[in-house]
Amino acid sequence: MHNQVIQSFERVLHNLWFIKDIFELIVGAVFYFFEAFVRLFIPHCKKDVEGEIVLVTGAANGIGKLIAKELGHHGATLVLWDINSDALDKTAKELKQVLDVRVYAYTCDCSRRSEVYKVAELVKREVGDVSILVNNAGMVTGKYTFVDAPDNLVDRTLRVNVAAHFWTYKAFLPAMLQRNHGHLVCVACHGGLFAMNALADYCASKSAAVSFAESVALELLVLKKEGIKTTIVCPYLINTKMFRGCQTKRPSFLPILDQRYVAKQIVDAILQEKMYLLLPSSLHFLVALKSLMPAKLGIIFVNFIGGMDLMDHFRGDPVPIISYKKPQRQRNDSVSDPQTTLIYYN
């Protein structure tokens, strides 16, 4: 009899907790849908990043360089990482000439865990604790089927596009946790949301990067570290050297994006502390549609938006593989001589 009373009481408690969870879900859904609607007309106030230490990977060229430049215009101290020391030196000199902020540059292969940790320690000693981390470095293998893709390039794609995020988080997140202050930015792409032909390793790596950033964001929420923000960026094709030659099948619906526009939008998302940035906005519609359609219809749909022949005219830059003598660093007041050798795959 005593056990039955206890069991009945436990069932009642369980039902009450279930009702409470449902109530919280409904109230939360109504509130946040309303908030999202309001934000269409009244955007978030932009935060001040003056004096923040911003680290951008893949900062020598393209989107990374432009993101760094935009954040520098807002007064942030810039720490530039890239594997290409020559291009990095040139970018650092250029930014120092046009910006009134401190600019530091470090040659680093973000796919190498030991290299990331070693250069991260240099940054902490010479600059300070990074408060905004922009994981932008990425690579694409090129015009291969998955079976034909060289194993070393597949491995490197995974290490650059996703494993590097693990090591940079490990290196810089602890200081953010101590202060409950920071911002983690994952620059992925539409390949993290939709599968594309001839991009198996690339899409897999970008999907993993998105899921990793989301998972860590949940950890931070559970740890009550609301002061550390996350922004996940998924743009469509950008007119950089990386995807040179690629064409869009529906330019009015999915246009090839201008890199300056994308960089400005990414920085704006950081300043407004947006969780997600999908470019163009039509990607939001495609994500919602994808979850509703049957699998076979999804294949037709991917073909419709150009996912089957996206890489047919690809002629992007060759993939650089760099062997290191030692980590290179460039201080704010000088530019070191390159100490790396670039080997290109044709």
Side-chain angles (χ1 to χ4, degrees):
M1 180 66 179
H2 179 70
N3 290 338
Q4 291 179 346
V5 171
I6 293 176
Q7 290 175 359
S8 299
F9 183 69
E10 289 176 346
R11 282 196 297 268
V12 170
L13 285 177
H14 181 270
N15 290 335
L16 288 175
W17 279 109
F18 178 75
I19 293 171
K20 170 183 170 293
D21 290 343
I22 291 294
F23 178 76
E24 288 180 349
L25 176 63
I26 294 172
V27 172
V30 171
F31 176 80
Y32 289 116
F33 271 117
F34 177 74
E35 181 188 49
F37 177 76
V38 171
R39 292 303 178 192
L40 293 175
F41 307 98
I42 308 175
H44 281 284
C45 294
K46 295 182 179 181
K47 69 180 179 181
D48 183 10
V49 296
E50 185 174 357
E52 300 281 359
I53 298 177
V54 178
L55 189 150
V56 183
T57 66
N61 296 290
I63 294 297
K65 175 182 176 180
L66 294 171
I67 291 172
K69 187 175 181 179
E70 283 294 318
L71 287 168
H73 281 306
H74 288 276
T77 295
L78 301 179
V79 179
L80 314 177
W81 280 17
D82 203 280
I83 195 172
N84 187 333
S85 63
D86 291 335
L88 186 63
D89 290 349
K90 182 179 178 181
T91 294
K93 289 179 180 178
E94 178 185 327
L95 294 183
K96 289 175 186 177
Q97 291 174 354
V98 299
L99 299 173
D100 187 23
V101 298
R102 293 184 298 156
V103 179
Y104 299 81
Y106 298 81
T107 300
C108 181
D109 182 352
C110 295
S111 70
R112 300 171 183 257
R113 180 183 58 187
S114 59
E115 189 76 16
V116 169
Y117 291 168
K118 188 180 298 183
V119 180
E121 288 302 316
L122 288 175
V123 171
K124 293 172 188 177
R125 289 200 305 267
E126 300 178 357
V127 189
D129 289 326
V130 170
S131 53
I132 301 179
L133 172 63
V134 183
N135 274 311
N136 166 76
M139 63 162 283
V140 61
T141 301
K143 191 177 177 181
Y144 294 100
T145 63
F146 176 69
V147 172
D148 293 335
D151 289 354
N152 64 322
L153 294 188
V154 172
D155 176 67
R156 184 162 180 79
T157 298
L158 297 175
R159 289 191 288 116
V160 172
N161 291 357
V162 62
H165 294 213
F166 300 168
W167 316 139
T168 55
Y169 270 46
K170 284 273 194 177
F172 298 111
L173 184 54
M176 297 184 191
L177 289 170
Q178 287 181 354
R179 296 182 296 155
N180 190 24
H181 175 76
H183 202 132
L184 303 165
V185 183
C186 167
V187 181
C189 83
H190 73 291
L193 307 172
F194 306 96
M196 297 289 160
N197 179 44
L199 285 171
D201 55 345
Y202 182 79
C203 289
S205 66
K206 291 300 184 179
S207 179
V210 170
S211 296
F212 170 70
E214 290 176 330
S215 181
V216 174
L218 289 177
E219 286 187 17
L220 296 173
L221 185 64
V222 172
L223 293 172
K224 301 187 185 302
K225 297 296 182 178
E226 292 87 355
I228 305 174
K229 308 301 180 182
T230 296
T231 296
I232 301 170
V233 184
C234 294
Y236 189 59
L237 293 180
I238 307 171
N239 63 344
T240 61
K241 296 178 181 179
M242 188 171 178
F243 279 98
R244 181 186 293 158
C246 293
Q247 299 177 357
T248 178
K249 197 171 183 178
R250 309 293 171 190
S252 59
F253 187 61
L254 287 174
I256 294 179
L257 302 167
D258 177 72
Q259 55 184 316
R260 289 178 176 81
Y261 165 77
V262 173
K264 287 181 179 294
Q265 291 297 307
I266 291 174
V267 171
D268 191 63
I270 294 171
L271 298 180
Q272 295 187 46
E273 298 182 341
K274 292 182 179 179
M275 177 75 176
Y276 295 99
L277 176 65
L278 275 60
L279 296 172
S281 56
S282 55
L283 284 181
H284 289 278
F285 170 74
L286 297 181
V287 170
L289 195 61
K290 176 187 175 183
S291 62
L292 299 174
M293 63 178 59
K296 292 182 179 179
L297 177 58
I299 296 174
I300 298 175
F301 174 73
V302 169
N303 181 58
F304 173 79
I305 64 174
M308 295 297 194
D309 51 12
L310 185 71
M311 299 292 286
D312 284 0
H313 303 284
F314 171 78
R315 58 177 191 278
D317 278 359
V319 179
I321 301 296
I322 297 182
S323 58
Y324 280 89
K325 295 179 181 178
K326 65 178 183 179
Q328 158 147 353
R329 63 181 182 275
Q330 168 192 322
R331 296 179 182 273
N332 191 39
D333 56 354
S334 65
V335 180
S336 301
D337 293 330
Q339 299 184 28
T340 58
T341 303
L342 274 69
I343 304 172
Y344 287 95
Y345 286 86
N346 297 320

mmCIF file of all heavy atoms in Angstrom, residues 293-337:
data_model
loop_
_atom_site.group_PDB
_atom_site.id
_atom_site.type_symbol
_atom_site.label_atom_id
_atom_site.label_comp_id
_atom_site.label_asym_id
_atom_site.label_seq_id
_atom_site.Cartn_x
_atom_site.Cartn_y
_atom_site.Cartn_z
ATOM 1 N N MET A 293 10.131 18.265 -47.200
ATOM 2 C CA MET A 293 9.953 17.525 -48.455
ATOM 3 C C MET A 293 10.460 16.085 -48.375
ATOM 4 O O MET A 293 11.386 15.790 -47.619
ATOM 5 C CB MET A 293 10.651 18.262 -49.603
ATOM 6 C CG MET A 293 12.156 18.381 -49.472
ATOM 7 S SD MET A 293 12.921 19.204 -50.894
ATOM 8 C CE MET A 293 12.094 20.777 -50.871
ATOM 9 N N PRO A 294 9.854 15.171 -49.147
ATOM 10 C CA PRO A 294 10.343 13.785 -49.222
ATOM 11 C C PRO A 294 11.762 13.739 -49.790
ATOM 12 O O PRO A 294 12.188 14.652 -50.502
ATOM 13 C CB PRO A 294 9.349 13.111 -50.184
ATOM 14 C CG PRO A 294 8.160 14.005 -50.214
ATOM 15 C CD PRO A 294 8.650 15.384 -49.963
ATOM 16 N N ALA A 295 12.467 12.653 -49.501
ATOM 17 C CA ALA A 295 13.870 12.543 -49.888
ATOM 18 C C ALA A 295 14.062 12.636 -51.403
ATOM 19 O O ALA A 295 14.961 13.330 -51.888
ATOM 20 C CB ALA A 295 14.446 11.234 -49.369
ATOM 21 N N LYS A 296 13.209 11.942 -52.166
ATOM 22 C CA LYS A 296 13.365 11.955 -53.629
ATOM 23 C C LYS A 296 13.077 13.332 -54.205
ATOM 24 O O LYS A 296 13.723 13.761 -55.167
ATOM 25 C CB LYS A 296 12.460 10.899 -54.260
ATOM 26 C CG LYS A 296 12.885 9.472 -53.934
ATOM 27 C CD LYS A 296 11.993 8.454 -54.613
ATOM 28 C CE LYS A 296 12.457 7.027 -54.292
ATOM 29 N NZ LYS A 296 11.596 6.000 -54.921
ATOM 30 N N LEU A 297 12.106 14.007 -53.618
ATOM 31 C CA LEU A 297 11.836 15.376 -54.048
ATOM 32 C C LEU A 297 13.018 16.278 -53.705
ATOM 33 O O LEU A 297 13.329 17.233 -54.432
ATOM 34 C CB LEU A 297 10.561 15.900 -53.380
ATOM 35 C CG LEU A 297 10.177 17.357 -53.688
ATOM 36 C CD1 LEU A 297 10.008 17.550 -55.192
ATOM 37 C CD2 LEU A 297 8.899 17.735 -52.945
ATOM 38 N N GLY A 298 13.699 15.951 -52.600
ATOM 39 C CA GLY A 298 14.860 16.722 -52.216
ATOM 40 C C GLY A 298 15.952 16.682 -53.269
ATOM 41 O O GLY A 298 16.649 17.686 -53.495
ATOM 42 N N ILE A 299 16.124 15.537 -53.945
ATOM 43 C CA ILE A 299 17.125 15.414 -55.003
ATOM 44 C C ILE A 299 16.772 16.328 -56.180
ATOM 45 O O ILE A 299 17.634 17.030 -56.730
ATOM 46 C CB ILE A 299 17.231 13.953 -55.468
ATOM 47 C CG1 ILE A 299 17.736 13.078 -54.309
ATOM 48 C CG2 ILE A 299 18.163 13.836 -56.673
ATOM 49 C CD1 ILE A 299 17.729 11.598 -54.617
ATOM 50 N N ILE A 300 15.491 16.327 -56.548
ATOM 51 C CA ILE A 300 15.037 17.225 -57.611
ATOM 52 C C ILE A 300 15.255 18.678 -57.207
ATOM 53 O O ILE A 300 15.660 19.527 -58.005
ATOM 54 C CB ILE A 300 13.542 16.969 -57.930
ATOM 55 C CG1 ILE A 300 13.361 15.535 -58.442
ATOM 56 C CG2 ILE A 300 13.025 17.972 -58.951
ATOM 57 C CD1 ILE A 300 11.913 15.144 -58.659
ATOM 58 N N PHE A 301 15.006 18.936 -55.950
ATOM 59 C CA PHE A 301 15.142 20.287 -55.433
ATOM 60 C C PHE A 301 16.601 20.737 -55.478
ATOM 61 O O PHE A 301 16.904 21.873 -55.876
ATOM 62 C CB PHE A 301 14.615 20.326 -54.001
ATOM 63 C CG PHE A 301 14.833 21.620 -53.295
ATOM 64 C CD1 PHE A 301 14.086 22.733 -53.627
ATOM 65 C CD2 PHE A 301 15.779 21.719 -52.294
ATOM 66 C CE1 PHE A 301 14.288 23.935 -52.976
ATOM 67 C CE2 PHE A 301 15.989 22.916 -51.631
ATOM 68 C CZ PHE A 301 15.238 24.029 -51.972
ATOM 69 N N VAL A 302 17.538 19.859 -55.078
ATOM 70 C CA VAL A 302 18.964 20.192 -55.118
ATOM 71 C C VAL A 302 19.387 20.488 -56.556
ATOM 72 O O VAL A 302 20.167 21.428 -56.816
ATOM 73 C CB VAL A 302 19.807 19.050 -54.518
ATOM 74 C CG1 VAL A 302 21.299 19.262 -54.810
ATOM 75 C CG2 VAL A 302 19.588 18.957 -53.020
ATOM 76 N N ASN A 303 18.889 19.717 -57.504
ATOM 77 C CA ASN A 303 19.198 19.969 -58.910
ATOM 78 C C ASN A 303 18.630 21.314 -59.358
ATOM 79 O O ASN A 303 19.276 22.064 -60.109
ATOM 80 C CB ASN A 303 18.639 18.852 -59.783
ATOM 81 C CG ASN A 303 18.954 19.062 -61.253
ATOM 82 O OD1 ASN A 303 20.119 19.162 -61.633
ATOM 83 N ND2 ASN A 303 17.918 19.143 -62.080
ATOM 84 N N PHE A 304 17.457 21.656 -58.873
ATOM 85 C CA PHE A 304 16.804 22.911 -59.230
ATOM 86 C C PHE A 304 17.638 24.117 -58.798
ATOM 87 O O PHE A 304 17.754 25.103 -59.533
ATOM 88 C CB PHE A 304 15.411 22.981 -58.593
ATOM 89 C CG PHE A 304 14.724 24.305 -58.775
ATOM 90 C CD1 PHE A 304 14.101 24.620 -59.975
ATOM 91 C CD2 PHE A 304 14.705 25.235 -57.749
ATOM 92 C CE1 PHE A 304 13.475 25.848 -60.156
ATOM 93 C CE2 PHE A 304 14.077 26.460 -57.918
ATOM 94 C CZ PHE A 304 13.466 26.770 -59.123
ATOM 95 N N ILE A 305 18.240 24.040 -57.612
ATOM 96 C CA ILE A 305 19.019 25.180 -57.126
ATOM 97 C C ILE A 305 20.474 25.125 -57.579
ATOM 98 O O ILE A 305 21.273 25.993 -57.232
ATOM 99 C CB ILE A 305 18.960 25.274 -55.579
ATOM 100 C CG1 ILE A 305 19.619 24.058 -54.926
ATOM 101 C CG2 ILE A 305 17.536 25.462 -55.099
ATOM 102 C CD1 ILE A 305 19.720 24.159 -53.409
ATOM 103 N N GLY A 306 20.813 24.079 -58.374
ATOM 104 C CA GLY A 306 22.150 24.017 -58.952
ATOM 105 C C GLY A 306 23.152 23.191 -58.189
ATOM 106 O O GLY A 306 24.360 23.273 -58.463
ATOM 107 N N GLY A 307 22.698 22.381 -57.257
ATOM 108 C CA GLY A 307 23.615 21.601 -56.447
ATOM 109 C C GLY A 307 24.275 20.450 -57.171
ATOM 110 O O GLY A 307 25.276 19.901 -56.697
ATOM 111 N N MET A 308 23.753 20.053 -58.338
ATOM 112 C CA MET A 308 24.333 18.938 -59.082
ATOM 113 C C MET A 308 25.524 19.349 -59.938
ATOM 114 O O MET A 308 26.432 18.566 -60.170
ATOM 115 C CB MET A 308 23.259 18.300 -59.972
ATOM 116 C CG MET A 308 22.121 17.658 -59.203
ATOM 117 S SD MET A 308 22.677 16.280 -58.187
ATOM 118 C CE MET A 308 21.111 15.498 -57.782
ATOM 119 N N ASP A 309 25.499 20.577 -60.433
ATOM 120 C CA ASP A 309 26.551 21.008 -61.358
ATOM 121 C C ASP A 309 27.296 22.241 -60.879
ATOM 122 O O ASP A 309 27.890 22.971 -61.659
ATOM 123 C CB ASP A 309 25.962 21.261 -62.747
ATOM 124 C CG ASP A 309 24.740 22.175 -62.707
ATOM 125 O OD1 ASP A 309 24.489 22.792 -61.647
ATOM 126 O OD2 ASP A 309 24.036 22.276 -63.721
ATOM 127 N N LEU A 310 27.270 22.460 -59.575
ATOM 128 C CA LEU A 310 27.886 23.649 -58.985
ATOM 129 C C LEU A 310 29.372 23.743 -59.308
ATOM 130 O O LEU A 310 29.911 24.827 -59.561
ATOM 131 C CB LEU A 310 27.696 23.631 -57.465
ATOM 132 C CG LEU A 310 28.160 24.846 -56.682
ATOM 133 C CD1 LEU A 310 27.251 26.036 -56.951
ATOM 134 C CD2 LEU A 310 28.177 24.549 -55.186
ATOM 135 N N MET A 311 30.081 22.605 -59.322
ATOM 136 C CA MET A 311 31.538 22.599 -59.478
ATOM 137 C C MET A 311 31.993 22.310 -60.908
ATOM 138 O O MET A 311 33.188 22.135 -61.145
ATOM 139 C CB MET A 311 32.139 21.552 -58.538
ATOM 140 C CG MET A 311 31.858 21.798 -57.065
ATOM 141 S SD MET A 311 32.688 23.252 -56.427
ATOM 142 C CE MET A 311 34.378 22.661 -56.331
ATOM 143 N N ASP A 312 31.071 22.283 -61.858
ATOM 144 C CA ASP A 312 31.438 21.915 -63.229
ATOM 145 C C ASP A 312 32.481 22.851 -63.839
ATOM 146 O O ASP A 312 33.319 22.421 -64.637
ATOM 147 C CB ASP A 312 30.193 21.898 -64.119
ATOM 148 C CG ASP A 312 29.327 20.670 -63.882
ATOM 149 O OD1 ASP A 312 29.699 19.844 -63.021
ATOM 150 O OD2 ASP A 312 28.271 20.530 -64.521
ATOM 151 N N HIS A 313 32.433 24.105 -63.490
ATOM 152 C CA HIS A 313 33.358 25.089 -64.066
ATOM 153 C C HIS A 313 34.363 25.604 -63.023
ATOM 154 O O HIS A 313 34.941 26.669 -63.198
ATOM 155 C CB HIS A 313 32.572 26.258 -64.663
ATOM 156 C CG HIS A 313 31.583 25.849 -65.708
ATOM 157 N ND1 HIS A 313 31.960 25.507 -66.988
ATOM 158 C CD2 HIS A 313 30.230 25.696 -65.653
ATOM 159 C CE1 HIS A 313 30.881 25.177 -67.691
ATOM 160 N NE2 HIS A 313 29.820 25.279 -66.902
ATOM 161 N N PHE A 314 34.553 24.824 -61.975
ATOM 162 C CA PHE A 314 35.450 25.233 -60.896
ATOM 163 C C PHE A 314 36.884 25.368 -61.393
ATOM 164 O O PHE A 314 37.402 24.505 -62.091
ATOM 165 C CB PHE A 314 35.404 24.200 -59.771
ATOM 166 C CG PHE A 314 36.444 24.405 -58.694
ATOM 167 C CD1 PHE A 314 36.262 25.371 -57.726
ATOM 168 C CD2 PHE A 314 37.596 23.636 -58.668
ATOM 169 C CE1 PHE A 314 37.216 25.568 -56.735
ATOM 170 C CE2 PHE A 314 38.554 23.819 -57.673
ATOM 171 C CZ PHE A 314 38.354 24.785 -56.710
ATOM 172 N N ARG A 315 37.503 26.485 -61.075
ATOM 173 C CA ARG A 315 38.930 26.677 -61.372
ATOM 174 C C ARG A 315 39.566 27.506 -60.253
ATOM 175 O O ARG A 315 40.356 28.418 -60.503
ATOM 176 C CB ARG A 315 39.126 27.354 -62.726
ATOM 177 C CG ARG A 315 38.451 28.703 -62.893
ATOM 178 C CD ARG A 315 38.786 29.316 -64.250
ATOM 179 N NE ARG A 315 38.375 30.698 -64.331
ATOM 180 C CZ ARG A 315 37.160 31.128 -64.601
ATOM 181 N NH1 ARG A 315 36.193 30.246 -64.829
ATOM 182 N NH2 ARG A 315 36.885 32.414 -64.661
ATOM 183 N N GLY A 316 39.197 27.186 -59.023
ATOM 184 C CA GLY A 316 39.707 27.918 -57.862
ATOM 185 C C GLY A 316 41.193 27.731 -57.664
ATOM 186 O O GLY A 316 41.852 26.962 -58.369
ATOM 187 N N ASP A 317 41.704 28.460 -56.701
ATOM 188 C CA ASP A 317 43.132 28.409 -56.416
ATOM 189 C C ASP A 317 43.566 27.013 -55.997
ATOM 190 O O ASP A 317 42.803 26.283 -55.361
ATOM 191 C CB ASP A 317 43.483 29.386 -55.291
ATOM 192 C CG ASP A 317 43.644 30.801 -55.822
ATOM 193 O OD1 ASP A 317 43.505 30.990 -57.045
ATOM 194 O OD2 ASP A 317 43.912 31.707 -55.013
ATOM 195 N N PRO A 318 44.790 26.604 -56.319
ATOM 196 C CA PRO A 318 45.303 25.319 -55.844
ATOM 197 C C PRO A 318 45.409 25.317 -54.332
ATOM 198 O O PRO A 318 45.498 26.359 -53.696
ATOM 199 C CB PRO A 318 46.681 25.217 -56.506
ATOM 200 C CG PRO A 318 47.077 26.631 -56.768
ATOM 201 C CD PRO A 318 45.800 27.359 -57.080
ATOM 202 N N VAL A 319 45.435 24.126 -53.773
ATOM 203 C CA VAL A 319 45.490 23.977 -52.323
ATOM 204 C C VAL A 319 46.914 24.096 -51.834
ATOM 205 O O VAL A 319 47.785 23.334 -52.267
ATOM 206 C CB VAL A 319 44.910 22.609 -51.907
ATOM 207 C CG1 VAL A 319 44.998 22.439 -50.401
ATOM 208 C CG2 VAL A 319 43.479 22.474 -52.391
ATOM 209 N N PRO A 320 47.211 25.051 -50.938
ATOM 210 C CA PRO A 320 48.577 25.176 -50.434
ATOM 211 C C PRO A 320 48.843 24.209 -49.294
ATOM 212 O O PRO A 320 48.042 24.076 -48.392
ATOM 213 C CB PRO A 320 48.638 26.621 -49.934
ATOM 214 C CG PRO A 320 47.234 26.934 -49.538
ATOM 215 C CD PRO A 320 46.350 26.106 -50.436
ATOM 216 N N ILE A 321 49.964 23.532 -49.347
ATOM 217 C CA ILE A 321 50.434 22.722 -48.222
ATOM 218 C C ILE A 321 51.756 23.338 -47.776
ATOM 219 O O ILE A 321 52.685 23.481 -48.573
ATOM 220 C CB ILE A 321 50.649 21.251 -48.626
ATOM 221 C CG1 ILE A 321 49.347 20.654 -49.152
ATOM 222 C CG2 ILE A 321 51.185 20.458 -47.439
ATOM 223 C CD1 ILE A 321 48.247 20.576 -48.130
ATOM 224 N N ILE A 322 51.853 23.719 -46.518
ATOM 225 C CA ILE A 322 53.014 24.454 -46.048
ATOM 226 C C ILE A 322 53.753 23.651 -44.993
ATOM 227 O O ILE A 322 53.150 23.176 -44.044
ATOM 228 C CB ILE A 322 52.608 25.825 -45.485
ATOM 229 C CG1 ILE A 322 52.003 26.654 -46.624
ATOM 230 C CG2 ILE A 322 53.763 26.550 -44.851
ATOM 231 C CD1 ILE A 322 51.613 28.046 -46.221
ATOM 232 N N SER A 323 55.042 23.492 -45.190
ATOM 233 C CA SER A 323 55.862 22.830 -44.178
ATOM 234 C C SER A 323 56.550 23.903 -43.347
ATOM 235 O O SER A 323 57.064 24.886 -43.889
ATOM 236 C CB SER A 323 56.909 21.934 -44.847
ATOM 237 O OG SER A 323 57.723 22.684 -45.717
ATOM 238 N N TYR A 324 56.604 23.700 -42.046
ATOM 239 C CA TYR A 324 57.079 24.729 -41.136
ATOM 240 C C TYR A 324 58.462 24.425 -40.592
ATOM 241 O O TYR A 324 58.778 23.301 -40.244
ATOM 242 C CB TYR A 324 56.117 24.870 -39.944
ATOM 243 C CG TYR A 324 54.919 25.669 -40.283
ATOM 244 C CD1 TYR A 324 53.805 25.039 -40.811
ATOM 245 C CD2 TYR A 324 54.882 27.038 -40.101
ATOM 246 C CE1 TYR A 324 52.687 25.767 -41.153
ATOM 247 C CE2 TYR A 324 53.778 27.782 -40.430
ATOM 248 C CZ TYR A 324 52.679 27.140 -40.957
ATOM 249 O OH TYR A 324 51.574 27.859 -41.294
ATOM 250 N N LYS A 325 59.268 25.493 -40.487
ATOM 251 C CA LYS A 325 60.497 25.403 -39.708
ATOM 252 C C LYS A 325 60.196 25.733 -38.255
ATOM 253 O O LYS A 325 60.641 25.074 -37.353
ATOM 254 C CB LYS A 325 61.540 26.376 -40.276
ATOM 255 C CG LYS A 325 61.990 26.034 -41.684
ATOM 256 C CD LYS A 325 62.994 27.064 -42.178
ATOM 257 C CE LYS A 325 63.435 26.746 -43.602
ATOM 258 N NZ LYS A 325 64.377 27.765 -44.117
ATOM 259 N N LYS A 326 59.421 26.808 -38.060
ATOM 260 C CA LYS A 326 58.967 27.188 -36.728
ATOM 261 C C LYS A 326 57.827 28.173 -36.898
ATOM 262 O O LYS A 326 57.672 28.763 -37.965
ATOM 263 C CB LYS A 326 60.101 27.799 -35.908
ATOM 264 C CG LYS A 326 60.628 29.113 -36.460
ATOM 265 C CD LYS A 326 61.710 29.669 -35.545
ATOM 266 C CE LYS A 326 62.207 31.025 -36.044
ATOM 267 N NZ LYS A 326 63.233 31.577 -35.140
ATOM 268 N N PRO A 327 56.997 28.378 -35.874
ATOM 269 C CA PRO A 327 55.914 29.328 -36.009
ATOM 270 C C PRO A 327 56.467 30.728 -36.252
ATOM 271 O O PRO A 327 57.406 31.135 -35.582
ATOM 272 C CB PRO A 327 55.199 29.276 -34.649
ATOM 273 C CG PRO A 327 55.778 28.137 -33.921
ATOM 274 C CD PRO A 327 57.060 27.767 -34.548
ATOM 275 N N GLN A 328 55.889 31.407 -37.223
ATOM 276 C CA GLN A 328 56.324 32.770 -37.490
ATOM 277 C C GLN A 328 55.387 33.748 -36.817
ATOM 278 O O GLN A 328 54.184 33.545 -36.805
ATOM 279 C CB GLN A 328 56.323 33.013 -38.994
ATOM 280 C CG GLN A 328 56.239 34.479 -39.347
ATOM 281 C CD GLN A 328 56.975 34.810 -40.600
ATOM 282 O OE1 GLN A 328 57.664 33.984 -41.153
ATOM 283 N NE2 GLN A 328 56.841 36.020 -41.032
ATOM 284 N N ARG A 329 55.919 34.817 -36.286
ATOM 285 C CA ARG A 329 55.085 35.854 -35.742
ATOM 286 C C ARG A 329 55.553 37.204 -36.268
ATOM 287 O O ARG A 329 56.729 37.413 -36.521
ATOM 288 C CB ARG A 329 55.100 35.850 -34.220
ATOM 289 C CG ARG A 329 56.443 36.135 -33.578
ATOM 290 C CD ARG A 329 56.297 36.065 -32.060
ATOM 291 N NE ARG A 329 57.539 36.365 -31.379
ATOM 292 C CZ ARG A 329 58.484 35.486 -31.127
ATOM 293 N NH1 ARG A 329 58.324 34.244 -31.546
ATOM 294 N NH2 ARG A 329 59.583 35.831 -30.500
ATOM 295 N N GLN A 330 54.626 38.092 -36.406
ATOM 296 C CA GLN A 330 54.948 39.439 -36.847
ATOM 297 C C GLN A 330 54.403 40.386 -35.805
ATOM 298 O O GLN A 330 53.215 40.418 -35.525
ATOM 299 C CB GLN A 330 54.297 39.698 -38.200
ATOM 300 C CG GLN A 330 54.334 41.148 -38.616
ATOM 301 C CD GLN A 330 53.427 41.377 -39.789
ATOM 302 O OE1 GLN A 330 53.317 40.559 -40.681
ATOM 303 N NE2 GLN A 330 52.752 42.493 -39.774
ATOM 304 N N ARG A 331 55.284 41.165 -35.214
ATOM 305 C CA ARG A 331 54.856 42.073 -34.174
ATOM 306 C C ARG A 331 54.199 43.291 -34.783
ATOM 307 O O ARG A 331 54.237 43.520 -35.979
ATOM 308 C CB ARG A 331 56.062 42.494 -33.321
ATOM 309 C CG ARG A 331 56.690 41.331 -32.565
ATOM 310 C CD ARG A 331 57.883 41.803 -31.761
ATOM 311 N NE ARG A 331 58.525 40.705 -31.079
ATOM 312 C CZ ARG A 331 58.186 40.266 -29.895
ATOM 313 N NH1 ARG A 331 57.177 40.819 -29.247
ATOM 314 N NH2 ARG A 331 58.813 39.260 -29.335
ATOM 315 N N ASN A 332 53.628 44.084 -33.906
ATOM 316 C CA ASN A 332 52.912 45.270 -34.349
ATOM 317 C C ASN A 332 53.811 46.273 -35.053
ATOM 318 O O ASN A 332 53.381 47.020 -35.906
ATOM 319 C CB ASN A 332 52.256 45.950 -33.134
ATOM 320 C CG ASN A 332 51.281 47.026 -33.551
ATOM 321 O OD1 ASN A 332 50.560 46.857 -34.523
ATOM 322 N ND2 ASN A 332 51.266 48.117 -32.808
ATOM 323 N N ASP A 333 55.102 46.294 -34.713
ATOM 324 C CA ASP A 333 55.977 47.326 -35.226
ATOM 325 C C ASP A 333 57.006 46.815 -36.232
ATOM 326 O O ASP A 333 57.916 47.512 -36.620
ATOM 327 C CB ASP A 333 56.726 48.017 -34.075
ATOM 328 C CG ASP A 333 57.491 47.007 -33.225
ATOM 329 O OD1 ASP A 333 57.329 45.801 -33.486
ATOM 330 O OD2 ASP A 333 58.236 47.426 -32.315
ATOM 331 N N SER A 334 56.856 45.573 -36.651
ATOM 332 C CA SER A 334 57.818 45.042 -37.614
ATOM 333 C C SER A 334 57.191 43.906 -38.391
ATOM 334 O O SER A 334 56.204 43.324 -37.998
ATOM 335 C CB SER A 334 59.078 44.541 -36.911
ATOM 336 O OG SER A 334 58.780 43.451 -36.080
ATOM 337 N N VAL A 335 57.828 43.556 -39.511
ATOM 338 C CA VAL A 335 57.376 42.441 -40.334
ATOM 339 C C VAL A 335 58.541 41.490 -40.513
ATOM 340 O O VAL A 335 59.608 41.876 -40.998
ATOM 341 C CB VAL A 335 56.885 42.922 -41.720
ATOM 342 C CG1 VAL A 335 56.434 41.750 -42.551
ATOM 343 C CG2 VAL A 335 55.750 43.931 -41.547
ATOM 344 N N SER A 336 58.364 40.251 -40.098
ATOM 345 C CA SER A 336 59.450 39.273 -40.160
ATOM 346 C C SER A 336 59.586 38.723 -41.566
ATOM 347 O O SER A 336 58.681 38.791 -42.387
ATOM 348 C CB SER A 336 59.169 38.126 -39.179
ATOM 349 O OG SER A 336 59.037 38.613 -37.869
ATOM 350 N N ASP A 337 60.722 38.132 -41.852
ATOM 351 C CA ASP A 337 60.913 37.476 -43.137
ATOM 352 C C ASP A 337 60.181 36.149 -43.145
ATOM 353 O O ASP A 337 60.116 35.456 -42.130
ATOM 354 C CB ASP A 337 62.407 37.217 -43.383
ATOM 355 C CG ASP A 337 63.177 38.511 -43.557
ATOM 356 O OD1 ASP A 337 62.582 39.488 -44.046
ATOM 357 O OD2 ASP A 337 64.370 38.532 -43.189
#
